[in-house]
Coordinates of all heavy atoms in Angstrom, one line a residue:
L24 N -9.0 7.0 -27.0 CA -7.6 7.3 -27.0 C -7.3 8.7 -27.5 O -7.9 9.1 -28.5 CB -6.9 6.2 -27.9 CG -6.9 4.8 -27.4 CD1 -6.1 4.0 -28.4 CD2 -6.3 4.7 -26.0
P25 N -6.4 9.4 -26.9 CA -6.0 10.7 -27.5 C -5.3 10.5 -28.8 O -4.4 9.6 -28.9 CB -5.1 11.3 -26.4 CG -4.6 10.1 -25.6 CD -5.6 9.1 -25.7
T26 N -5.5 11.4 -29.7 CA -4.8 11.4 -31.0 C -3.7 12.5 -30.9 O -3.7 13.3 -29.9 CB -5.7 11.7 -32.2 OG1 -6.3 13.0 -32.0 CG2 -6.8 10.7 -32.3
T27 N -2.8 12.5 -31.8 CA -1.8 13.6 -31.8 C -2.5 14.9 -32.1 O -3.6 15.0 -32.6 CB -0.7 13.3 -32.9 OG1 -1.4 13.1 -34.2 CG2 0.1 12.1 -32.6
E28 N -1.8 16.0 -31.7 CA -2.4 17.3 -31.8 C -2.7 17.6 -33.3 O -1.9 17.3 -34.2 CB -1.4 18.3 -31.3 CG -1.3 18.3 -29.7 CD -0.5 19.5 -29.2 OE1 -0.2 20.4 -30.0 OE2 -0.2 19.5 -28.0
A29 N -3.9 18.2 -33.5 CA -4.3 18.6 -34.8 C -3.3 19.7 -35.3 O -2.9 20.5 -34.6 CB -5.7 19.2 -34.8
A30 N -2.9 19.5 -36.6 CA -1.8 20.4 -37.1 C -2.1 21.9 -36.9 O -3.1 22.4 -37.4 CB -1.6 20.1 -38.6
G31 N -1.3 22.5 -36.2 CA -1.3 24.0 -36.0 C -2.4 24.4 -35.1 O -2.4 25.6 -34.7
S32 N -3.3 23.6 -34.6 CA -4.4 24.1 -33.8 C -4.1 24.0 -32.3 O -4.7 24.8 -31.5 CB -5.7 23.2 -34.0 OG -5.5 21.9 -33.5
G33 N -3.1 23.2 -31.9 CA -2.8 23.0 -30.5 C -3.8 22.3 -29.7 O -3.8 22.3 -28.5
V34 N -4.8 21.7 -30.4 CA -5.9 21.1 -29.7 C -5.8 19.6 -29.9 O -5.6 19.1 -31.0 CB -7.3 21.5 -30.2 CG1 -8.4 20.8 -29.5 CG2 -7.5 23.0 -30.0
E35 N -5.8 18.8 -28.8 CA -5.8 17.4 -28.9 C -7.1 16.8 -29.2 O -8.1 17.2 -28.6 CB -5.2 16.8 -27.6 CG -3.7 16.8 -27.4 CD -3.2 15.8 -26.5 OE1 -4.0 15.0 -26.0 OE2 -2.0 15.7 -26.3
G36 N -7.2 15.9 -30.1 CA -8.4 15.2 -30.4 C -8.5 13.9 -29.7 O -7.6 13.6 -28.9
A37 N -9.5 13.1 -30.0 CA -9.6 11.8 -29.4 C -10.3 10.9 -30.4 O -11.1 11.3 -31.2 CB -10.5 11.9 -28.1
R38 N -10.0 9.6 -30.3 CA -10.7 8.6 -31.2 C -11.1 7.5 -30.3 O -10.5 7.1 -29.3 CB -9.7 8.2 -32.3 CG -8.5 7.5 -31.8 CD -7.5 7.3 -33.0 NE -6.2 6.7 -32.5 CZ -5.9 5.4 -32.6 NH1 -6.8 4.6 -33.1 NH2 -4.8 5.0 -32.1
R39 N -12.2 6.9 -30.7 CA -12.8 5.7 -30.0 C -12.3 4.5 -30.7 O -12.4 4.3 -31.9 CB -14.3 5.8 -30.0 CG -14.8 7.0 -29.3 CD -16.3 7.2 -29.4 NE -17.0 6.3 -28.5 CZ -17.3 6.6 -27.3 NH1 -16.8 7.7 -26.7 NH2 -17.9 5.7 -26.5
V40 N -11.8 3.5 -29.9 CA -11.3 2.2 -30.5 C -11.9 1.1 -29.7 O -12.3 1.2 -28.5 CB -9.8 2.1 -30.4 CG1 -9.1 3.2 -31.3 CG2 -9.3 2.2 -29.0
N41 N -12.1 0.0 -30.4 CA -12.6 -1.2 -29.7 C -11.4 -2.0 -29.1 O -10.5 -2.5 -29.9 CB -13.3 -2.2 -30.7 CG -14.7 -1.6 -31.0 OD1 -15.4 -1.1 -30.1 ND2 -15.1 -1.6 -32.3
G42 N -11.3 -2.0 -27.8 CA -10.2 -2.8 -27.2 C -10.6 -4.2 -27.0 O -11.8 -4.5 -26.9
M43 N -9.6 -5.1 -26.9 CA -9.9 -6.5 -26.6 C -8.8 -7.1 -25.8 O -7.7 -6.6 -25.8 CB -10.2 -7.2 -27.9 CG -9.0 -7.2 -28.9 SD -9.5 -7.8 -30.5 CE -8.4 -6.8 -31.5
G44 N -9.1 -8.1 -25.1 CA -8.1 -8.8 -24.3 C -8.7 -10.1 -23.8 O -9.8 -10.6 -24.2
T45 N -8.0 -10.7 -22.8 CA -8.4 -12.0 -22.3 C -8.3 -11.9 -20.7 O -7.7 -11.0 -20.2 CB -7.4 -13.0 -22.8 OG1 -7.4 -12.9 -24.2 CG2 -7.9 -14.4 -22.5
G46 N -8.9 -12.8 -20.0 CA -8.9 -12.9 -18.6 C -9.0 -14.3 -18.1 O -9.4 -15.2 -18.9
V47 N -8.6 -14.5 -16.8 CA -8.8 -15.8 -16.3 C -9.5 -15.8 -14.9 O -9.3 -14.8 -14.2 CB -7.4 -16.5 -16.0 CG1 -6.7 -16.8 -17.3 CG2 -6.5 -15.6 -15.1
A48 N -10.4 -16.7 -14.7 CA -11.2 -16.7 -13.5 C -10.4 -17.2 -12.3 O -9.7 -18.3 -12.4 CB -12.4 -17.6 -13.7
I49 N -10.3 -16.5 -11.3 CA -9.6 -16.9 -10.1 C -10.5 -17.1 -8.9 O -10.0 -17.5 -7.8 CB -8.5 -15.8 -9.7 CG1 -9.2 -14.4 -9.4 CG2 -7.5 -15.7 -10.7 CD1 -8.3 -13.4 -8.8
D50 N -11.8 -17.0 -9.1 CA -12.8 -17.3 -8.0 C -14.1 -17.7 -8.7 O -14.5 -17.1 -9.7 CB -13.0 -16.1 -7.1 CG -13.9 -16.4 -6.0 OD1 -15.2 -16.2 -6.1 OD2 -13.4 -16.8 -4.9
P51 N -14.8 -18.7 -8.2 CA -16.0 -19.2 -8.9 C -17.1 -18.2 -8.9 O -18.0 -18.3 -9.8 CB -16.5 -20.4 -8.0 CG -15.2 -20.8 -7.2 CD -14.4 -19.5 -7.0
R52 N -17.1 -17.1 -8.1 CA -18.1 -16.1 -8.1 C -18.0 -15.1 -9.2 O -18.8 -14.1 -9.3 CB -18.2 -15.4 -6.7 CG -18.6 -16.3 -5.6 CD -18.3 -15.7 -4.2 NE -16.9 -15.8 -3.9 CZ -16.4 -15.4 -2.8 NH1 -17.2 -15.0 -1.8 NH2 -15.1 -15.5 -2.6
G53 N -17.0 -15.2 -10.0 CA -16.8 -14.3 -11.2 C -15.7 -13.3 -11.1 O -15.7 -12.3 -11.8
Y54 N -14.8 -13.5 -10.2 CA -13.6 -12.6 -10.1 C -12.6 -13.1 -11.1 O -12.2 -14.2 -11.2 CB -13.0 -12.6 -8.7 CG -13.9 -11.9 -7.7 CD1 -14.9 -12.7 -7.0 CD2 -13.8 -10.6 -7.4 CE1 -15.7 -12.1 -6.1 CE2 -14.6 -10.0 -6.5 CZ -15.6 -10.7 -5.8 OH -16.4 -10.1 -4.9
I55 N -12.1 -12.1 -12.0 CA -11.3 -12.4 -13.1 C -10.0 -11.5 -13.1 O -10.1 -10.3 -12.8 CB -12.1 -12.1 -14.4 CG1 -13.2 -13.1 -14.5 CG2 -11.2 -12.1 -15.7 CD1 -14.3 -12.7 -15.5
L56 N -8.9 -12.2 -13.3 CA -7.6 -11.5 -13.4 C -7.3 -11.2 -14.8 O -7.4 -12.1 -15.7 CB -6.5 -12.3 -12.7 CG -5.1 -11.8 -12.7 CD1 -5.1 -10.5 -11.8 CD2 -4.1 -12.8 -12.2
T57 N -6.9 -10.0 -15.1 CA -6.5 -9.6 -16.5 C -5.4 -8.5 -16.4 O -4.9 -8.1 -15.3 CB -7.7 -9.1 -17.3 OG1 -7.3 -8.9 -18.7 CG2 -8.3 -7.8 -16.7
N58 N -5.0 -8.0 -17.6 CA -4.1 -6.8 -17.6 C -4.8 -5.5 -17.4 O -5.9 -5.3 -17.9 CB -3.4 -6.8 -18.9 CG -2.3 -7.8 -19.1 OD1 -2.1 -8.4 -20.2 ND2 -1.5 -8.1 -18.1
H59 N -4.2 -4.6 -16.7 CA -4.8 -3.3 -16.5 C -5.0 -2.6 -17.8 O -6.0 -1.9 -18.0 CB -3.8 -2.5 -15.5 CG -4.3 -1.1 -15.4 ND1 -3.7 0.0 -16.0 CD2 -5.4 -0.5 -14.7 CE1 -4.3 1.1 -15.7 NE2 -5.3 0.8 -14.9
H60 N -4.0 -2.7 -18.7 CA -4.2 -2.0 -20.0 C -5.3 -2.5 -20.8 O -5.8 -1.8 -21.7 CB -2.9 -2.0 -20.8 CG -2.6 -3.2 -21.5 ND1 -1.7 -4.2 -21.0 CD2 -3.0 -3.7 -22.7 CE1 -1.6 -5.2 -21.9 NE2 -2.4 -4.9 -22.9
V61 N -5.8 -3.7 -20.5 CA -7.0 -4.2 -21.3 C -8.3 -3.4 -20.9 O -9.1 -3.1 -21.7 CB -7.2 -5.7 -21.0 CG1 -8.5 -6.2 -21.5 CG2 -6.0 -6.5 -21.7
I62 N -8.4 -3.1 -19.6 CA -9.7 -2.5 -19.1 C -9.5 -1.0 -18.8 O -10.5 -0.3 -18.5 CB -10.2 -3.2 -17.9 CG1 -9.2 -3.3 -16.8 CG2 -10.7 -4.6 -18.3 CD1 -9.0 -2.2 -15.9
D63 N -8.3 -0.4 -18.9 CA -8.0 1.0 -18.6 C -8.8 1.9 -19.6 O -8.6 1.7 -20.8 CB -6.5 1.2 -18.7 CG -6.2 2.7 -18.2 OD1 -6.9 3.2 -17.4 OD2 -5.2 3.2 -18.7
G64 N -9.6 2.7 -19.1 CA -10.3 3.7 -19.9 C -11.6 3.1 -20.6 O -12.3 3.8 -21.3
V65 N -11.9 1.8 -20.3 CA -13.1 1.2 -20.9 C -14.3 1.5 -20.0 O -14.3 1.2 -18.8 CB -12.9 -0.3 -21.0 CG1 -14.2 -1.0 -21.5 CG2 -11.8 -0.6 -22.0
K66 N -15.4 2.0 -20.6 CA -16.6 2.4 -19.8 C -17.4 1.1 -19.5 O -17.9 0.9 -18.4 CB -17.4 3.4 -20.5 CG -16.8 4.8 -20.4 CD -17.7 5.8 -21.0 CE -17.1 7.2 -21.0 NZ -17.9 8.2 -21.7
E67 N -17.6 0.3 -20.5 CA -18.4 -0.9 -20.4 C -17.5 -2.1 -20.7 O -17.2 -2.3 -21.9 CB -19.6 -0.9 -21.2 CG -20.7 0.2 -20.8 CD -22.0 0.1 -21.6 OE1 -21.9 -0.5 -22.7 OE2 -23.0 0.6 -21.1
I68 N -17.2 -2.9 -19.7 CA -16.3 -4.1 -19.9 C -17.2 -5.3 -20.2 O -18.0 -5.7 -19.3 CB -15.4 -4.3 -18.7 CG1 -14.6 -3.1 -18.3 CG2 -14.5 -5.5 -18.9 CD1 -14.0 -3.2 -16.9
Q69 N -17.1 -5.8 -21.4 CA -18.0 -6.9 -21.8 C -17.1 -8.2 -21.8 O -16.1 -8.3 -22.4 CB -18.5 -6.7 -23.2 CG -19.5 -7.7 -23.6 CD -20.0 -7.5 -25.0 OE1 -19.4 -8.0 -26.0 NE2 -21.1 -6.8 -25.2
V70 N -17.6 -9.2 -21.0 CA -16.9 -10.5 -20.9 C -17.7 -11.6 -21.5 O -18.9 -11.7 -21.2 CB -16.7 -10.7 -19.4 CG1 -16.2 -12.1 -19.1 CG2 -15.7 -9.7 -18.8
T71 N -17.1 -12.4 -22.3 CA -17.7 -13.5 -23.0 C -17.0 -14.8 -22.5 O -15.8 -14.9 -22.5 CB -17.6 -13.5 -24.5 OG1 -18.1 -12.2 -25.0 CG2 -18.4 -14.6 -25.2
L72 N -17.9 -15.7 -22.0 CA -17.4 -17.0 -21.5 C -17.2 -18.0 -22.6 O -17.7 -17.8 -23.7 CB -18.3 -17.6 -20.4 CG -18.6 -16.7 -19.2 CD1 -19.4 -17.5 -18.1 CD2 -17.4 -16.0 -18.6
A73 N -16.6 -19.1 -22.3 CA -16.4 -20.2 -23.3 C -17.7 -20.7 -23.9 O -17.7 -21.2 -25.0 CB -15.5 -21.3 -22.7
D74 N -18.7 -20.7 -23.1 CA -20.0 -21.2 -23.6 C -20.8 -20.1 -24.4 O -21.9 -20.4 -24.8 CB -20.9 -21.6 -22.4 CG -21.2 -20.5 -21.4 OD1 -20.9 -19.3 -21.7 OD2 -21.7 -20.8 -20.3
G75 N -20.2 -18.9 -24.6 CA -20.8 -17.9 -25.4 C -21.6 -16.9 -24.6 O -22.1 -15.9 -25.2
N76 N -21.9 -17.2 -23.4 CA -22.7 -16.2 -22.6 C -21.9 -15.0 -22.3 O -20.7 -15.0 -22.1 CB -23.1 -16.8 -21.3 CG -24.3 -17.8 -21.4 OD1 -25.2 -17.6 -22.2 ND2 -24.2 -19.0 -20.7
R77 N -22.6 -13.8 -22.3 CA -21.9 -12.5 -22.1 C -22.4 -11.8 -20.9 O -23.6 -11.9 -20.6 CB -22.1 -11.6 -23.4 CG -21.4 -12.2 -24.6 CD -21.6 -11.2 -25.8 NE -20.8 -11.8 -26.9 CZ -20.7 -11.2 -28.1 NH1 -21.3 -10.0 -28.3 NH2 -20.0 -11.7 -29.1
Y78 N -21.5 -11.1 -20.2 CA -21.8 -10.4 -19.0 C -21.1 -9.0 -19.0 O -20.0 -8.9 -19.6 CB -21.4 -11.2 -17.8 CG -22.0 -12.5 -17.7 CD1 -21.3 -13.6 -18.3 CD2 -23.2 -12.7 -17.1 CE1 -21.9 -14.9 -18.2 CE2 -23.8 -14.0 -17.1 CZ -23.1 -15.1 -17.6 OH -23.7 -16.3 -17.6
M79 N -21.6 -8.1 -18.3 CA -20.9 -6.8 -18.1 C -20.1 -6.9 -16.8 O -20.6 -7.5 -15.8 CB -21.9 -5.6 -18.0 CG -22.8 -5.4 -19.2 SD -21.8 -5.4 -20.8 CE -21.0 -3.8 -20.5
A80 N -18.9 -6.4 -16.8 CA -18.1 -6.6 -15.6 C -17.8 -5.2 -15.0 O -17.9 -4.2 -15.6 CB -16.7 -7.2 -16.0
K81 N -17.5 -5.2 -13.7 CA -17.1 -4.0 -13.0 C -15.7 -4.2 -12.5 O -15.2 -5.3 -12.3 CB -18.1 -3.8 -11.8 CG -18.0 -4.8 -10.7 CD -18.9 -4.5 -9.5 CE -18.7 -5.5 -8.4 NZ -19.5 -5.2 -7.2
L82 N -15.0 -3.1 -12.4 CA -13.6 -3.1 -11.9 C -13.6 -3.2 -10.4 O -14.3 -2.5 -9.7 CB -12.9 -1.8 -12.3 CG -11.5 -1.6 -11.9 CD1 -10.6 -2.7 -12.5 CD2 -11.0 -0.2 -12.3
V83 N -12.8 -4.1 -9.9 CA -12.7 -4.4 -8.4 C -11.4 -3.7 -7.9 O -11.4 -3.0 -6.9 CB -12.7 -5.9 -8.1 CG1 -12.3 -6.1 -6.6 CG2 -14.0 -6.5 -8.4
A84 N -10.3 -3.9 -8.6 CA -9.0 -3.4 -8.1 C -8.0 -3.4 -9.3 O -8.2 -4.2 -10.2 CB -8.5 -4.2 -6.9
R85 N -7.0 -2.5 -9.2 CA -6.0 -2.5 -10.3 C -4.7 -2.0 -9.8 O -4.6 -1.3 -8.8 CB -6.5 -1.6 -11.4 CG -6.8 -0.1 -11.0 CD -7.3 0.7 -12.1 NE -7.6 2.0 -11.7 CZ -8.1 3.0 -12.5 NH1 -8.2 2.7 -13.8 NH2 -8.3 4.2 -12.1
D86 N -3.7 -2.4 -10.5 CA -2.3 -1.9 -10.2 C -1.6 -1.6 -11.5 O -1.0 -2.5 -12.2 CB -1.5 -3.0 -9.5 CG -0.1 -2.6 -9.0 OD1 0.1 -1.3 -9.1 OD2 0.7 -3.4 -8.7
P87 N -1.7 -0.3 -11.9 CA -1.1 0.1 -13.2 C 0.4 -0.2 -13.4 O 0.9 -0.6 -14.4 CB -1.4 1.6 -13.3 CG -2.5 1.8 -12.4 CD -2.4 0.8 -11.3
E88 N 1.1 -0.2 -12.2 CA 2.6 -0.3 -12.3 C 2.9 -1.7 -12.8 O 3.8 -1.9 -13.6 CB 3.2 -0.1 -10.9 CG 4.7 0.0 -11.0 CD 5.3 0.3 -9.6 OE1 4.7 1.1 -8.8 OE2 6.4 -0.2 -9.3
T89 N 2.2 -2.8 -12.3 CA 2.5 -4.1 -12.7 C 1.6 -4.6 -13.9 O 1.7 -5.7 -14.3 CB 2.4 -5.1 -11.6 OG1 1.0 -5.0 -11.0 CG2 3.4 -4.9 -10.5
D90 N 0.6 -3.7 -14.3 CA -0.3 -3.9 -15.4 C -1.2 -5.1 -15.1 O -1.5 -5.9 -16.0 CB 0.5 -4.1 -16.7 CG -0.4 -4.0 -17.9 OD1 -1.5 -3.4 -17.8 OD2 -0.1 -4.6 -19.0
L91 N -1.7 -5.1 -13.9 CA -2.7 -6.2 -13.5 C -4.0 -5.6 -12.9 O -3.9 -4.5 -12.3 CB -2.1 -7.2 -12.5 CG -1.0 -8.1 -13.1 CD1 -0.2 -8.8 -12.0 CD2 -1.6 -9.1 -14.1
A92 N -5.1 -6.2 -13.1 CA -6.4 -5.7 -12.6 C -7.3 -6.9 -12.3 O -7.1 -8.0 -12.9 CB -7.0 -4.8 -13.6
I93 N -8.2 -6.7 -11.4 CA -9.2 -7.7 -11.1 C -10.6 -7.1 -11.4 O -10.9 -6.0 -11.0 CB -9.2 -8.2 -9.7 CG1 -7.8 -8.9 -9.4 CG2 -10.3 -9.1 -9.3 CD1 -7.6 -9.1 -7.9
I94 N -11.4 -7.8 -12.2 CA -12.7 -7.4 -12.6 C -13.7 -8.5 -12.1 O -13.3 -9.6 -11.7 CB -12.9 -7.1 -14.1 CG1 -12.6 -8.4 -14.9 CG2 -12.0 -6.0 -14.5 CD1 -12.9 -8.3 -16.4
K95 N -15.0 -8.1 -12.1 CA -16.0 -9.0 -11.5 C -17.3 -9.1 -12.4 O -17.8 -8.1 -12.8 CB -16.4 -8.5 -10.1 CG -17.6 -9.2 -9.5 CD -17.3 -10.5 -8.9 CE -18.4 -11.1 -7.9 NZ -19.6 -11.5 -8.6
I96 N -17.7 -10.3 -12.7 CA -19.0 -10.5 -13.4 C -19.9 -11.3 -12.4 O -19.4 -11.8 -11.3 CB -18.9 -11.3 -14.7 CG1 -18.3 -12.7 -14.5 CG2 -18.0 -10.5 -15.7 CD1 -18.3 -13.6 -15.7
D97 N -21.2 -11.4 -12.7 CA -22.1 -12.1 -11.9 C -22.7 -13.3 -12.6 O -23.9 -13.2 -13.1 CB -23.2 -11.2 -11.4 CG -22.7 -10.1 -10.4 OD1 -21.9 -10.4 -9.5 OD2 -23.0 -8.9 -10.7
P98 N -22.0 -14.4 -12.7 CA -22.5 -15.6 -13.4 C -23.6 -16.3 -12.6 O -23.6 -16.2 -11.4 CB -21.3 -16.5 -13.6 CG -20.4 -16.1 -12.4 CD -20.6 -14.7 -12.2
P99 N -24.6 -16.9 -13.3 CA -25.7 -17.5 -12.5 C -25.2 -18.8 -11.8 O -25.8 -19.2 -10.8 CB -26.7 -17.9 -13.6 CG -25.9 -17.9 -14.9 CD -24.8 -17.0 -14.7
T100 N -24.2 -19.4 -12.3 CA -23.6 -20.6 -11.6 C -22.1 -20.4 -11.4 O -21.5 -19.6 -12.1 CB -23.9 -21.9 -12.5 OG1 -23.3 -21.6 -13.8 CG2 -25.3 -22.2 -12.6
P101 N -21.5 -21.2 -10.4 CA -20.1 -21.0 -10.2 C -19.2 -21.2 -11.4 O -19.5 -22.2 -12.2 CB -19.8 -22.0 -9.1 CG -21.1 -22.2 -8.4 CD -22.2 -22.1 -9.5
M102 N -18.2 -20.4 -11.6 CA -17.3 -20.6 -12.7 C -16.2 -21.5 -12.4 O -15.7 -21.6 -11.2 CB -16.7 -19.2 -13.0 CG -17.6 -18.2 -13.7 SD -16.7 -16.7 -14.1 CE -15.6 -17.2 -15.4
P103 N -15.7 -22.3 -13.4 CA -14.4 -23.0 -13.2 C -13.3 -22.0 -13.0 O -13.3 -21.0 -13.6 CB -14.3 -23.8 -14.5 CG -15.6 -23.8 -15.1 CD -16.3 -22.5 -14.7
V104 N -12.4 -22.4 -12.1 CA -11.2 -21.5 -11.8 C -10.0 -22.1 -12.5 O -9.8 -23.3 -12.6 CB -11.0 -21.4 -10.3 CG1 -9.7 -20.7 -9.9 CG2 -12.2 -20.8 -9.6
I105 N -9.1 -21.2 -13.0 CA -7.9 -21.6 -13.7 C -7.0 -22.4 -12.8 O -6.7 -22.0 -11.7 CB -7.2 -20.3 -14.3 CG1 -6.1 -20.7 -15.3 CG2 -6.6 -19.5 -13.2 CD1 -6.6 -20.8 -16.7
P106 N -6.5 -23.5 -13.3 CA -5.5 -24.3 -12.5 C -4.2 -23.4 -12.4 O -3.8 -22.9 -13.5 CB -5.3 -25.6 -13.2 CG -6.5 -25.7 -14.2 CD -6.9 -24.3 -14.5
I107 N -3.6 -23.4 -11.3 CA -2.4 -22.5 -11.1 C -1.2 -23.3 -10.9 O -1.2 -24.2 -10.0 CB -2.6 -21.5 -10.0 CG1 -3.8 -20.5 -10.3 CG2 -1.4 -20.7 -9.7 CD1 -4.2 -19.6 -9.2
G108 N -0.1 -23.0 -11.7 CA 1.2 -23.7 -11.5 C 2.2 -22.8 -10.8 O 1.8 -21.9 -10.1
R109 N 3.4 -23.0 -11.2 CA 4.5 -22.2 -10.6 C 5.4 -21.7 -11.7 O 5.5 -22.2 -12.7 CB 5.4 -23.1 -9.7 CG 4.7 -23.7 -8.5 CD 5.5 -24.8 -7.9 NE 6.9 -24.4 -7.5 CZ 7.9 -25.2 -7.2 NH1 7.7 -26.5 -7.1 NH2 9.1 -24.7 -6.8
S110 N 6.0 -20.5 -11.4 CA 6.9 -19.9 -12.4 C 8.4 -19.9 -11.9 O 9.2 -19.3 -12.5 CB 6.5 -18.5 -12.8 OG 6.3 -17.7 -11.7
D111 N 8.6 -20.4 -10.7 CA 10.0 -20.4 -10.1 C 10.8 -21.6 -10.5 O 12.0 -21.7 -10.1 CB 9.9 -20.2 -8.6 CG 9.2 -21.3 -7.9 OD1 8.5 -22.2 -8.6 OD2 9.2 -21.4 -6.7
D112 N 10.2 -22.5 -11.3 CA 11.0 -23.7 -11.7 C 11.0 -23.9 -13.2 O 11.2 -25.0 -13.7 CB 10.5 -24.9 -11.0 CG 9.0 -25.2 -11.3 OD1 8.4 -24.4 -12.0 OD2 8.5 -26.3 -10.9

Side-chain angles (χ1 to χ4, degrees):
L24 294 181
T26 59
T27 51
E28 288 188 10
S32 69
V34 177
E35 279 205 359
R38 61 191 176 97
R39 298 172 80 80
V40 298
N41 285 319
M43 57 193 149
T45 309
V47 293
I49 57 170
D50 183 272
R52 290 165 290 184
Y54 290 87
I55 293 162
L56 182 64
T57 186
N58 284 140
H59 175 254
H60 77 258
V61 168
I62 53 85
D63 186 30
V65 175
K66 285 184 180 174
E67 293 187 338
I68 305 168
Q69 188 181 85
V70 171
T71 306
L72 305 190
D74 60 11
N76 286 321
R77 293 185 176 181
Y78 303 91
M79 301 308 293
K81 66 177 183 181
L82 178 64
V83 172
R85 59 183 177 175
D86 183 12
E88 189 176 327
T89 56
D90 194 22
L91 290 166
I93 295 171
I94 59 175
K95 168 80 166 69
I96 61 172
D97 293 311
T100 55
M102 288 182 69
V104 173
I105 193 87
I107 294 172
R109 296 167 55 191
S110 55
D111 56 353
D112 61 353

